[in-house]
Amino acid sequence: MKIKGKLLLMLFLITWSAFAVITFVNHSHNYLFKSYFDADYFQSSRESYVEQLGKYVLAPFDAEAAKKQIGVSQEEIENYRNYFGGLTEQVENIRAQYSEQIMQAEGAQDASLKDMLVAERDAKIADIKKNFESDEYVEEKIIKLKENVIDEYASEQASLRQDFLNEFTYFNYHFVNVETGEVLDSGPQDKNNVFREQFGDDNPFLTVNKAVYIDGYSNEYMSGPLYIDGEVEKFEGSITLPKSMVKSDSNFASEYHSFKMAKIIFFIVWITGIMTIAALFTVAKPSKEHFKGLEKAQYAFLRMPVDVRILLIVIAAFVWVALISSTSNTIGNLFYFRHNILSAVFEMIMNLFFMYLAVSASIIGAIWIFESVNSEEKVKQQIRHAMLYRLSEGMQDLFLNRSVGLQAIGILGVSFLAGIGFVGAGYGGGELVIIYILLFFFIALPAVLVFLRHMGYLNRIMKQTQEMAAGRLTSEIKVKGRSIFAKHAANLNSLREGVRNSMSEQAKSERLKTELITNVSHDLRTPLTSIITYTDLLKNPNLSDEERKQYIDVLDKKSARLKTLIEDLFEVSKMASGNIEITRQHLDLTLLMKQLIGEHEEEFAKSNFDLRVSMPKQPLFAYVDGQKMWRVIDNLLVNAMKYSLEGTRIYLTLKQTGSAAEITVKNVSKYELTENVEELTERFKRADASRHTDGSGLGLAIAQSIVDLHNGRLTIEVDGDLFKVTVLVPIEY
């Protein structure tokens, strides 16, 4: 036998075994070692018959006897009397009800109508007054209400009695009232019976409690069940099923023959089920070898998310369980199909065929799923690719912006309800159609139009985003309205502007990097070249002492110059990388300014500049690193002396501005400042493009870095040839 043949055989054996086991569990309590009269559904019919027989035939409801038991309590009288309020309140209400009608009758000059309304009003008022004057008067009214309830209940019982007699025509009964001796039977009793149940003698009597609660006893005055007392009556006798009923066309006969036929078929199913279970473990012997040759189907199945696979298997399991139930019901009612037995047999065969397919799919799918999750790593991988997992991630992403999430849910809800409304309007008729049309035009249609407008706007945004991704940053996305898409468009415009600025800054950075390399090379090479040249000159043994001294002085100056350049370069690098520490302390900036001016007093005296200083007379304290702050002011003053026009003034100012100390240096530049002033804080950037001065070009860059370390701000302003540097340092008390 080929492998596929073994697989088909194994699946058939499993299907038939499952069918036999489930039908045994569901139906063995009715068919195994039991006759039709022991079955649950017959016993249920018998119990219903006995109960209704006692209630409607043996001891029926007696309306006249019930009316004699009617009683009225004082509480009921008071409730009836005061239900609409007190006497005065009720009289005023009646007068108010009729006043307008009487006035209209007077206006119409209809004297007869007016007299009728007045008489009707007075009669009601008199009735209300009598309610408050006489308990007996109210009691009579309540008794009539209760009598009406009893009459309605009696009429209902009579209708139910007739339904009972029409339904249970196949039972015969014969009973005697134990107390009164009254005989009640269904007519002549047949001696040939297939079923008989005796009451009395050695068996319990059939008892009927005539006390009843009439539910639904309610009106505008009172509510609650109406209790009618009654005695418990006992009956002895029997109920029987004549043998002739088995051969009749009654429902009982059909059920009886269906039971016997179903019992035979179920026994065949159960016996063959035992055989298939035995064959399953002896002949078939299920193993993985049976599933070879199904790799393509397995590959296609395992490509689905694991939760979808599990759902398909669960659906398949429900299908074959439902088919087993359907087939069992067909077997149980096969006698009803005796006139069309071929149709019933064909239906069972088709059920068994589809059951076989469903069982096969669920078993094979379960095995493949088990193999795909037989390790912890595989379980994690399957969960990550599960549809519900991805859906939950999608839902989380959907509500990253609550507005988008709510709008999406709203559109889906409107669409879903519109579909339900369409179906409901189709089945509901004219009024629902009108309501649906109104809801469609005022809710669904506007929601759809808003959705389409948003989608069109989104498409435009996506198209322009593609252009931005391709590097075309010239066109700006139009911002329309205040929706989330408009905010997204504004954000994209900001991103576009940021990209343009970034590209501009990148170009600028590349240019400055090139200038930095050029300037560093120039500034380091100049003193180094001089050092090499004069070192070679010193090697000449014929030099005079004066020349040798002169060359050594040049070497000393150039070495100092080279040292300054290298130290400044290292310091700026450390500041830019954040590897420098500052030691803050409470420092009087006024005193620091005075000391610094004193340091440069001699230089300013020799120079052709006029230094103008403005500072507060009282101390101005700041929490700064004194050495670093000295370096900032010193660099600014030195920078001013180097690049100021001779014969001009240099202004140095210290003052408090809000919660910050403000240091300002102003001078008139001797070079034309045509470049971007922000670049002057870049490394090795000078005002003299020809680089004739002795500076390192790092003065402002160092000052900028120190100020940044103090969480301050350094700004440069140029107005023509006027050059102004402002330093703001926070003051902490």
Side-chain angles (χ1 to χ4, degrees), residues 581-606:
E581 295 182 359
I582 59 173
T583 305
R584 296 175 183 266
Q585 57 184 344
H586 285 285
L587 183 70
D588 183 4
L589 294 179
T590 304
L591 180 60
L592 179 68
M593 186 82 78
K594 290 179 181 178
Q595 292 174 352
L596 192 142
I597 293 171
E599 181 80 16
H600 293 281
E601 186 175 4
E602 185 177 348
E603 295 179 43
F604 274 101
K606 293 179 181 179

PDB file of all heavy atoms in Angstrom, residues 581-606:
ATOM      1  N   GLU A 581      37.108  71.088  32.002  1.00  0.00           N
ATOM      2  CA  GLU A 581      36.302  71.318  33.195  1.00  0.00           C
ATOM      3  C   GLU A 581      36.428  72.770  33.618  1.00  0.00           C
ATOM      4  O   GLU A 581      37.486  73.390  33.451  1.00  0.00           O
ATOM      5  CB  GLU A 581      36.742  70.404  34.337  1.00  0.00           C
ATOM      6  CG  GLU A 581      36.520  68.926  34.057  1.00  0.00           C
ATOM      7  CD  GLU A 581      36.928  68.065  35.246  1.00  0.00           C
ATOM      8  OE1 GLU A 581      37.396  68.653  36.254  1.00  0.00           O
ATOM      9  OE2 GLU A 581      36.787  66.837  35.150  1.00  0.00           O
ATOM     10  N   ILE A 582      35.362  73.275  34.171  1.00  0.00           N
ATOM     11  CA  ILE A 582      35.391  74.644  34.706  1.00  0.00           C
ATOM     12  C   ILE A 582      35.131  74.582  36.201  1.00  0.00           C
ATOM     13  O   ILE A 582      34.365  73.760  36.687  1.00  0.00           O
ATOM     14  CB  ILE A 582      34.344  75.541  34.003  1.00  0.00           C
ATOM     15  CG1 ILE A 582      32.932  74.983  34.182  1.00  0.00           C
ATOM     16  CG2 ILE A 582      34.658  75.714  32.537  1.00  0.00           C
ATOM     17  CD1 ILE A 582      31.847  75.904  33.653  1.00  0.00           C
ATOM     18  N   THR A 583      35.807  75.473  36.917  1.00  0.00           N
ATOM     19  CA  THR A 583      35.668  75.542  38.374  1.00  0.00           C
ATOM     20  C   THR A 583      34.941  76.830  38.716  1.00  0.00           C
ATOM     21  O   THR A 583      35.507  77.937  38.651  1.00  0.00           O
ATOM     22  CB  THR A 583      37.043  75.513  39.059  1.00  0.00           C
ATOM     23  OG1 THR A 583      37.754  74.349  38.628  1.00  0.00           O
ATOM     24  CG2 THR A 583      36.887  75.488  40.570  1.00  0.00           C
ATOM     25  N   ARG A 584      33.679  76.712  39.048  1.00  0.00           N
ATOM     26  CA  ARG A 584      32.865  77.902  39.317  1.00  0.00           C
ATOM     27  C   ARG A 584      33.077  78.381  40.748  1.00  0.00           C
ATOM     28  O   ARG A 584      33.265  77.587  41.669  1.00  0.00           O
ATOM     29  CB  ARG A 584      31.377  77.592  39.107  1.00  0.00           C
ATOM     30  CG  ARG A 584      31.002  77.240  37.676  1.00  0.00           C
ATOM     31  CD  ARG A 584      29.541  76.830  37.614  1.00  0.00           C
ATOM     32  NE  ARG A 584      29.134  76.415  36.289  1.00  0.00           N
ATOM     33  CZ  ARG A 584      28.565  77.219  35.392  1.00  0.00           C
ATOM     34  NH1 ARG A 584      28.354  78.498  35.700  1.00  0.00           N
ATOM     35  NH2 ARG A 584      28.219  76.769  34.211  1.00  0.00           N
ATOM     36  N   GLN A 585      33.005  79.691  40.899  1.00  0.00           N
ATOM     37  CA  GLN A 585      33.066  80.314  42.218  1.00  0.00           C
ATOM     38  C   GLN A 585      32.395  81.670  42.141  1.00  0.00           C
ATOM     39  O   GLN A 585      32.244  82.237  41.057  1.00  0.00           O
ATOM     40  CB  GLN A 585      34.524  80.457  42.679  1.00  0.00           C
ATOM     41  CG  GLN A 585      35.380  81.253  41.715  1.00  0.00           C
ATOM     42  CD  GLN A 585      36.831  81.311  42.143  1.00  0.00           C
ATOM     43  OE1 GLN A 585      37.154  81.011  43.285  1.00  0.00           O
ATOM     44  NE2 GLN A 585      37.715  81.711  41.237  1.00  0.00           N
ATOM     45  N   HIS A 586      31.981  82.183  43.293  1.00  0.00           N
ATOM     46  CA  HIS A 586      31.386  83.522  43.317  1.00  0.00           C
ATOM     47  C   HIS A 586      32.481  84.540  43.058  1.00  0.00           C
ATOM     48  O   HIS A 586      33.437  84.668  43.844  1.00  0.00           O
ATOM     49  CB  HIS A 586      30.716  83.794  44.653  1.00  0.00           C
ATOM     50  CG  HIS A 586      29.400  83.067  44.800  1.00  0.00           C
ATOM     51  ND1 HIS A 586      28.265  83.485  44.152  1.00  0.00           N
ATOM     52  CD2 HIS A 586      29.072  81.961  45.501  1.00  0.00           C
ATOM     53  CE1 HIS A 586      27.273  82.666  44.455  1.00  0.00           C
ATOM     54  NE2 HIS A 586      27.735  81.728  45.269  1.00  0.00           N
ATOM     55  N   LEU A 587      32.365  85.257  41.967  1.00  0.00           N
ATOM     56  CA  LEU A 587      33.420  86.170  41.528  1.00  0.00           C
ATOM     57  C   LEU A 587      32.831  87.545  41.256  1.00  0.00           C
ATOM     58  O   LEU A 587      31.774  87.664  40.639  1.00  0.00           O
ATOM     59  CB  LEU A 587      34.075  85.611  40.259  1.00  0.00           C
ATOM     60  CG  LEU A 587      35.246  86.402  39.699  1.00  0.00           C
ATOM     61  CD1 LEU A 587      36.451  86.290  40.631  1.00  0.00           C
ATOM     62  CD2 LEU A 587      35.628  85.886  38.317  1.00  0.00           C
ATOM     63  N   ASP A 588      33.570  88.565  41.712  1.00  0.00           N
ATOM     64  CA  ASP A 588      33.173  89.950  41.457  1.00  0.00           C
ATOM     65  C   ASP A 588      33.681  90.327  40.074  1.00  0.00           C
ATOM     66  O   ASP A 588      34.901  90.517  39.876  1.00  0.00           O
ATOM     67  CB  ASP A 588      33.749  90.867  42.538  1.00  0.00           C
ATOM     68  CG  ASP A 588      33.310  92.319  42.350  1.00  0.00           C
ATOM     69  OD1 ASP A 588      32.508  92.580  41.433  1.00  0.00           O
ATOM     70  OD2 ASP A 588      33.795  93.174  43.120  1.00  0.00           O
ATOM     71  N   LEU A 589      32.779  90.440  39.111  1.00  0.00           N
ATOM     72  CA  LEU A 589      33.177  90.767  37.743  1.00  0.00           C
ATOM     73  C   LEU A 589      33.708  92.187  37.635  1.00  0.00           C
ATOM     74  O   LEU A 589      34.566  92.479  36.775  1.00  0.00           O
ATOM     75  CB  LEU A 589      31.979  90.571  36.799  1.00  0.00           C
ATOM     76  CG  LEU A 589      31.476  89.130  36.630  1.00  0.00           C
ATOM     77  CD1 LEU A 589      30.272  89.099  35.689  1.00  0.00           C
ATOM     78  CD2 LEU A 589      32.578  88.234  36.098  1.00  0.00           C
ATOM     79  N   THR A 590      33.234  93.060  38.502  1.00  0.00           N
ATOM     80  CA  THR A 590      33.745  94.444  38.491  1.00  0.00           C
ATOM     81  C   THR A 590      35.224  94.466  38.833  1.00  0.00           C
ATOM     82  O   THR A 590      36.043  95.127  38.173  1.00  0.00           O
ATOM     83  CB  THR A 590      32.959  95.304  39.485  1.00  0.00           C
ATOM     84  OG1 THR A 590      31.564  95.236  39.172  1.00  0.00           O
ATOM     85  CG2 THR A 590      33.394  96.767  39.419  1.00  0.00           C
ATOM     86  N   LEU A 591      35.593  93.735  39.896  1.00  0.00           N
ATOM     87  CA  LEU A 591      37.000  93.652  40.289  1.00  0.00           C
ATOM     88  C   LEU A 591      37.829  92.972  39.201  1.00  0.00           C
ATOM     89  O   LEU A 591      38.955  93.400  38.905  1.00  0.00           O
ATOM     90  CB  LEU A 591      37.114  92.883  41.609  1.00  0.00           C
ATOM     91  CG  LEU A 591      38.530  92.707  42.172  1.00  0.00           C
ATOM     92  CD1 LEU A 591      39.177  94.065  42.434  1.00  0.00           C
ATOM     93  CD2 LEU A 591      38.492  91.884  43.454  1.00  0.00           C
ATOM     94  N   LEU A 592      37.278  91.898  38.585  1.00  0.00           N
ATOM     95  CA  LEU A 592      37.983  91.214  37.512  1.00  0.00           C
ATOM     96  C   LEU A 592      38.243  92.162  36.350  1.00  0.00           C
ATOM     97  O   LEU A 592      39.339  92.163  35.755  1.00  0.00           O
ATOM     98  CB  LEU A 592      37.148  90.013  37.043  1.00  0.00           C
ATOM     99  CG  LEU A 592      37.741  89.194  35.893  1.00  0.00           C
ATOM    100  CD1 LEU A 592      38.994  88.468  36.357  1.00  0.00           C
ATOM    101  CD2 LEU A 592      36.723  88.200  35.355  1.00  0.00           C
ATOM    102  N   MET A 593      37.235  93.000  36.029  1.00  0.00           N
ATOM    103  CA  MET A 593      37.391  93.958  34.940  1.00  0.00           C
ATOM    104  C   MET A 593      38.480  94.981  35.253  1.00  0.00           C
ATOM    105  O   MET A 593      39.322  95.302  34.405  1.00  0.00           O
ATOM    106  CB  MET A 593      36.048  94.662  34.689  1.00  0.00           C
ATOM    107  CG  MET A 593      36.053  95.568  33.476  1.00  0.00           C
ATOM    108  SD  MET A 593      35.793  94.667  31.949  1.00  0.00           S
ATOM    109  CE  MET A 593      34.035  94.437  32.029  1.00  0.00           C
ATOM    110  N   LYS A 594      38.533  95.456  36.484  1.00  0.00           N
ATOM    111  CA  LYS A 594      39.561  96.439  36.873  1.00  0.00           C
ATOM    112  C   LYS A 594      40.956  95.833  36.763  1.00  0.00           C
ATOM    113  O   LYS A 594      41.898  96.477  36.276  1.00  0.00           O
ATOM    114  CB  LYS A 594      39.305  96.920  38.296  1.00  0.00           C
ATOM    115  CG  LYS A 594      38.073  97.805  38.438  1.00  0.00           C
ATOM    116  CD  LYS A 594      37.869  98.221  39.891  1.00  0.00           C
ATOM    117  CE  LYS A 594      36.627  99.098  40.039  1.00  0.00           C
ATOM    118  NZ  LYS A 594      36.386  99.484  41.451  1.00  0.00           N
ATOM    119  N   GLN A 595      41.117  94.592  37.224  1.00  0.00           N
ATOM    120  CA  GLN A 595      42.421  93.937  37.154  1.00  0.00           C
ATOM    121  C   GLN A 595      42.851  93.736  35.706  1.00  0.00           C
ATOM    122  O   GLN A 595      44.028  93.918  35.361  1.00  0.00           O
ATOM    123  CB  GLN A 595      42.365  92.589  37.875  1.00  0.00           C
ATOM    124  CG  GLN A 595      42.186  92.708  39.381  1.00  0.00           C
ATOM    125  CD  GLN A 595      41.985  91.362  40.034  1.00  0.00           C
ATOM    126  OE1 GLN A 595      41.830  90.349  39.356  1.00  0.00           O
ATOM    127  NE2 GLN A 595      41.971  91.351  41.374  1.00  0.00           N
ATOM    128  N   LEU A 596      41.920  93.371  34.855  1.00  0.00           N
ATOM    129  CA  LEU A 596      42.254  93.129  33.459  1.00  0.00           C
ATOM    130  C   LEU A 596      42.650  94.429  32.771  1.00  0.00           C
ATOM    131  O   LEU A 596      43.599  94.458  31.970  1.00  0.00           O
ATOM    132  CB  LEU A 596      41.055  92.475  32.759  1.00  0.00           C
ATOM    133  CG  LEU A 596      41.336  91.888  31.372  1.00  0.00           C
ATOM    134  CD1 LEU A 596      40.563  90.584  31.197  1.00  0.00           C
ATOM    135  CD2 LEU A 596      40.909  92.852  30.276  1.00  0.00           C
ATOM    136  N   ILE A 597      41.957  95.524  33.066  1.00  0.00           N
ATOM    137  CA  ILE A 597      42.316  96.829  32.479  1.00  0.00           C
ATOM    138  C   ILE A 597      43.706  97.240  32.935  1.00  0.00           C
ATOM    139  O   ILE A 597      44.519  97.774  32.172  1.00  0.00           O
ATOM    140  CB  ILE A 597      41.259  97.882  32.853  1.00  0.00           C
ATOM    141  CG1 ILE A 597      39.920  97.530  32.175  1.00  0.00           C
ATOM    142  CG2 ILE A 597      41.705  99.285  32.432  1.00  0.00           C
ATOM    143  CD1 ILE A 597      38.767  98.373  32.657  1.00  0.00           C
ATOM    144  N   GLY A 598      43.968  96.981  34.238  1.00  0.00           N
ATOM    145  CA  GLY A 598      45.312  97.288  34.739  1.00  0.00           C
ATOM    146  C   GLY A 598      46.378  96.485  34.030  1.00  0.00           C
ATOM    147  O   GLY A 598      47.498  96.968  33.793  1.00  0.00           O
ATOM    148  N   GLU A 599      46.093  95.256  33.684  1.00  0.00           N
ATOM    149  CA  GLU A 599      47.032  94.397  32.970  1.00  0.00           C
ATOM    150  C   GLU A 599      47.393  94.982  31.612  1.00  0.00           C
ATOM    151  O   GLU A 599      48.538  94.890  31.162  1.00  0.00           O
ATOM    152  CB  GLU A 599      46.411  93.005  32.811  1.00  0.00           C
ATOM    153  CG  GLU A 599      47.296  91.996  32.115  1.00  0.00           C
ATOM    154  CD  GLU A 599      48.346  91.406  33.046  1.00  0.00           C
ATOM    155  OE1 GLU A 599      48.193  91.541  34.281  1.00  0.00           O
ATOM    156  OE2 GLU A 599      49.317  90.820  32.535  1.00  0.00           O
ATOM    157  N   HIS A 600      46.416  95.598  30.934  1.00  0.00           N
ATOM    158  CA  HIS A 600      46.642  96.132  29.582  1.00  0.00           C
ATOM    159  C   HIS A 600      46.813  97.648  29.570  1.00  0.00           C
ATOM    160  O   HIS A 600      46.813  98.247  28.484  1.00  0.00           O
ATOM    161  CB  HIS A 600      45.462  95.752  28.678  1.00  0.00           C
ATOM    162  CG  HIS A 600      45.358  94.280  28.398  1.00  0.00           C
ATOM    163  ND1 HIS A 600      46.134  93.643  27.470  1.00  0.00           N
ATOM    164  CD2 HIS A 600      44.563  93.310  28.942  1.00  0.00           C
ATOM    165  CE1 HIS A 600      45.836  92.363  27.435  1.00  0.00           C
ATOM    166  NE2 HIS A 600      44.868  92.129  28.344  1.00  0.00           N
ATOM    167  N   GLU A 601      46.950  98.235  30.728  1.00  0.00           N
ATOM    168  CA  GLU A 601      47.031  99.705  30.799  1.00  0.00           C
ATOM    169  C   GLU A 601      48.238 100.222  30.028  1.00  0.00           C
ATOM    170  O   GLU A 601      48.147 101.214  29.285  1.00  0.00           O
ATOM    171  CB  GLU A 601      47.104 100.133  32.267  1.00  0.00           C
ATOM    172  CG  GLU A 601      47.042 101.653  32.451  1.00  0.00           C
ATOM    173  CD  GLU A 601      47.001 102.043  33.919  1.00  0.00           C
ATOM    174  OE1 GLU A 601      47.105 101.146  34.778  1.00  0.00           O
ATOM    175  OE2 GLU A 601      46.851 103.238  34.196  1.00  0.00           O
ATOM    176  N   GLU A 602      49.380  99.563  30.187  1.00  0.00           N
ATOM    177  CA  GLU A 602      50.601 100.015  29.519  1.00  0.00           C
ATOM    178  C   GLU A 602      50.474  99.883  28.006  1.00  0.00           C
ATOM    179  O   GLU A 602      50.903 100.770  27.261  1.00  0.00           O
ATOM    180  CB  GLU A 602      51.793  99.200  30.033  1.00  0.00           C
ATOM    181  CG  GLU A 602      53.130  99.682  29.487  1.00  0.00           C
ATOM    182  CD  GLU A 602      54.295  98.902  30.070  1.00  0.00           C
ATOM    183  OE1 GLU A 602      54.086  98.155  31.059  1.00  0.00           O
ATOM    184  OE2 GLU A 602      55.405  99.026  29.534  1.00  0.00           O
ATOM    185  N   GLU A 603      49.849  98.782  27.547  1.00  0.00           N
ATOM    186  CA  GLU A 603      49.690  98.589  26.106  1.00  0.00           C
ATOM    187  C   GLU A 603      48.800  99.670  25.515  1.00  0.00           C
ATOM    188  O   GLU A 603      49.075 100.196  24.424  1.00  0.00           O
ATOM    189  CB  GLU A 603      49.093  97.209  25.825  1.00  0.00           C
ATOM    190  CG  GLU A 603      49.998  96.049  26.214  1.00  0.00           C
ATOM    191  CD  GLU A 603      49.348  94.716  25.938  1.00  0.00           C
ATOM    192  OE1 GLU A 603      48.728  94.580  24.852  1.00  0.00           O
ATOM    193  OE2 GLU A 603      49.422  93.818  26.795  1.00  0.00           O
ATOM    194  N   PHE A 604      47.703  99.986  26.215  1.00  0.00           N
ATOM    195  CA  PHE A 604      46.813 101.028  25.706  1.00  0.00           C
ATOM    196  C   PHE A 604      47.483 102.392  25.744  1.00  0.00           C
ATOM    197  O   PHE A 604      47.219 103.248  24.898  1.00  0.00           O
ATOM    198  CB  PHE A 604      45.518 101.049  26.524  1.00  0.00           C
ATOM    199  CG  PHE A 604      44.490 100.073  26.025  1.00  0.00           C
ATOM    200  CD1 PHE A 604      44.295  98.856  26.656  1.00  0.00           C
ATOM    201  CD2 PHE A 604      43.719 100.371  24.902  1.00  0.00           C
ATOM    202  CE1 PHE A 604      43.363  97.963  26.199  1.00  0.00           C
ATOM    203  CE2 PHE A 604      42.776  99.471  24.447  1.00  0.00           C
ATOM    204  CZ  PHE A 604      42.601  98.258  25.089  1.00  0.00           C
ATOM    205  N   ALA A 605      48.366 102.602  26.718  1.00  0.00           N
ATOM    206  CA  ALA A 605      49.058 103.892  26.805  1.00  0.00           C
ATOM    207  C   ALA A 605      49.991 104.080  25.616  1.00  0.00           C
ATOM    208  O   ALA A 605      50.138 105.197  25.089  1.00  0.00           O
ATOM    209  CB  ALA A 605      49.843 103.978  28.119  1.00  0.00           C
ATOM    210  N   LYS A 606      50.647 102.986  25.180  1.00  0.00           N
ATOM    211  CA  LYS A 606      51.549 103.062  24.047  1.00  0.00           C
ATOM    212  C   LYS A 606      50.804 103.085  22.717  1.00  0.00           C
ATOM    213  O   LYS A 606      51.351 103.531  21.704  1.00  0.00           O
ATOM    214  CB  LYS A 606      52.502 101.872  24.063  1.00  0.00           C
ATOM    215  CG  LYS A 606      53.481 101.877  25.231  1.00  0.00           C
ATOM    216  CD  LYS A 606      54.368 100.647  25.178  1.00  0.00           C
ATOM    217  CE  LYS A 606      55.346 100.618  26.358  1.00  0.00           C
ATOM    218  NZ  LYS A 606      56.211  99.409  26.327  1.00  0.00           N
TER     219      LYS A 606
END
